[in-house]
């Protein structure tokens, strides 16, 4: 394990495969990384020093988010078995068995009591995070389920699938409330607005859509991209929705009207991820051109280009206080940037 620090940037080296995800703990003290090398790692966010290597998976690890209280990390893997880990000790506390094909997506409920996992086996599973037992199997999709998101109040779960649909599930009963149809390609990402009444989806059909979470009705079709839309995000106040696309741009729309605000150009290859800083002042985009760009949300101006990765940047995350940005790359490293 090596930490290389230059001009406000720490490079976290040690993984021996592409780094697929980065996540800060809720208090900002820790950073998790998940890698193709079959492991996840926990790092001190302030120093970049390695705390724990989480090494029990037998295949690629796709994501490693923290629980809302910061005491646990959940990992999902191509080895079929999600796992729960204790942050303090680095020990695996639960192995979640039941999926029959690779598990790709993961989300904690707002209260941390449930974990949702999405799989290539076309199902979603809800797990009790205390016991590790499967609570419900959500069935209905007819293709890979790529992503899941809980509503802010924890009553709904939205799932995005290769079958071109998004489903809204009642967490209490496990029933599907609505099937959101209209996309003509894979639904690659899903997100709830901060107040929970709106849902946004991104698709391979080059569009994003806004939906009414209560009725399942499509409210807006957000067009303009010319290729796959990989990522979708709401601003912290919910007034703006942003998307990142294979066409190397990010676009912003007003959520109230669906009116286009601006297009962010500058990347020279696919824009994989878009995220807003906690205060909503900055937006970050990550690209396969090996760079990350920071944008001023009020003017649309690119304020900084973060260079140093030597492979595609596939994931990013702002720290809770907005003072740092973490990035993950196919170059087998993660980086922590001081903003």
């Amino acid at each position: 394990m090596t930490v290389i620090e230059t001009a406000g940037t720490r490079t976290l080296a040690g993984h021996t495969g592409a780094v697929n995800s980065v996540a800060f703990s809720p208090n900002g003290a820790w950073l998790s990384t998940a890698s193709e090398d079959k492991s996840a790692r926990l790092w001190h966010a302030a120093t970049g020093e390695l705390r724990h290597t989480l090494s029990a998976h037998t295949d690629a690890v796709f994501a490693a988010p923290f629980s809302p209280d910061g005491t646990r990390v959940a990992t999902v893997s191509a080895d079929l078995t999600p796992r729960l880990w204790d942050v303090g000790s680095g020990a695996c506390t639960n192995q979640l068995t039941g999926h029959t094909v690779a598990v790709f997506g993961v989300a904690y409920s707002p209260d941390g009591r449930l974990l949702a996992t999405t799989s290539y086996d076309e199902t979603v599973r809800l797990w009790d995070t205390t016991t590790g037992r499967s609570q419900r199997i959500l069935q209905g999709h007819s293709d890979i389920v790529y992503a899941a998101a809980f509503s802010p109040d924890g009553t709904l779960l939205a799932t995005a699938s290769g079958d071109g649909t998004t489903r809204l599930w009642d967490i209490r009963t496990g029933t599907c409330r609505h099937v959101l149809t209209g996309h003509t390609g894979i639904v690659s990402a899903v997100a709830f607005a901060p107040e929970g009444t709106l849902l946004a989806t991104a698709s391979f059909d080059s569009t994003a859509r806004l939906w009414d979470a209560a009725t399942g009705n499509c409210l807006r079709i957000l067009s303009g991209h010319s290729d796959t839309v990989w990522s979708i995000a709401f601003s912290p106040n919910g007034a703006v929705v942003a998307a990142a696309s294979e066409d190397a741009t990010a676009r912003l729309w007003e959520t109230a009207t669906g009116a286009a605000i601006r297009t962010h150009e500058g990347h020279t290859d696919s824009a994989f991820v878009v995220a807003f800083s906690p205060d909503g002042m900055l937006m970050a985009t990550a690209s396969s051109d090996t760079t990350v760009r920071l944008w001023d949300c009020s003017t649309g101006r690119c304020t900084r280009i973060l260079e140093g990765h030597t492979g595609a940047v596939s994931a990013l995350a702002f720290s809770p206080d907005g003072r740092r940005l973490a990035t993950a790359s196919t170059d087998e490293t993660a980086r922590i940037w001081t903003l």
Side-chain angles (χ1 to χ4, degrees), residues 101-117:
V101 192
V103 185
F104 189 75
V106 59
Y108 274 100
S109 63
D111 63 8
R113 295 178 182 177
L114 291 176
L115 188 77
T117 55

Side-chain angles (χ1 to χ4, degrees), residues 203 205-209 221-229 243-253 258-265:
S203 174
D205 68 9
S206 305
T207 72
R209 289 181 178 236
I221 299 175
L222 308 178
S223 58
H225 284 299
S226 59
D227 210 330
T228 296
V229 183
S245 171
E246 184 76 13
D247 67 13
T249 72
R251 288 177 178 260
L252 279 70
W253 298 267
I261 298 173
R262 66 175 65 95
T263 302
H264 291 275
E265 299 177 315

Side-chain angles (χ1 to χ4, degrees), residues 13-19 35-39 41 330-333:
H15 281 298
T16 57
V19 182
S35 172
E36 294 286 323
D37 69 7
K38 308 176 186 179
S39 77
R41 291 180 177 229
T330 58
D331 67 10
E332 303 183 355
T333 72

Side-chain angles (χ1 to χ4, degrees), residues 104-105 117-124 138 141 143-148 159-162:
F104 189 75
T117 55
T118 72
S119 173
Y120 281 47
D121 67 12
E122 304 179 2
T123 72
V124 181
L138 308 181
H141 284 297
D143 205 329
I144 296 166
V145 188
Y146 286 103
T159 55
S161 172

Side-chain angles (χ1 to χ4, degrees), residues 19-98:
V19 182
N20 293 321
S21 76
V22 285
F24 281 98
S25 62
N27 66 2
W30 309 105
L31 184 79
S32 70
T33 55
S35 172
E36 294 286 323
D37 69 7
K38 308 176 186 179
S39 77
R41 291 180 177 229
L42 299 181
W43 314 79
H44 291 264
T47 65
E49 294 297 324
L50 180 67
R51 182 176 188 180
H52 299 298
T53 299
L54 312 182
S55 55
H57 286 294
T58 58
D59 209 331
V61 183
F62 298 121
F66 287 87
S67 60
D69 66 3
T71 62
R72 293 186 179 187
V73 164
T75 54
V76 289
S77 169
D79 71 4
L80 320 186
T81 56
R83 289 175 180 262
L84 294 172
W85 309 79
D86 179 76
V87 170
S89 66
C92 179
T93 59
N94 300 96
Q95 180 176 323
L96 313 181
T97 58

Side-chain angles (χ1 to χ4, degrees), residues 175-192:
T175 57
C176 180
R177 283 193 184 177
H178 303 290
V179 180
L180 312 185
T181 60
H183 281 301
T184 58
I186 289 168
V187 183
S188 50
V190 61
F192 277 95

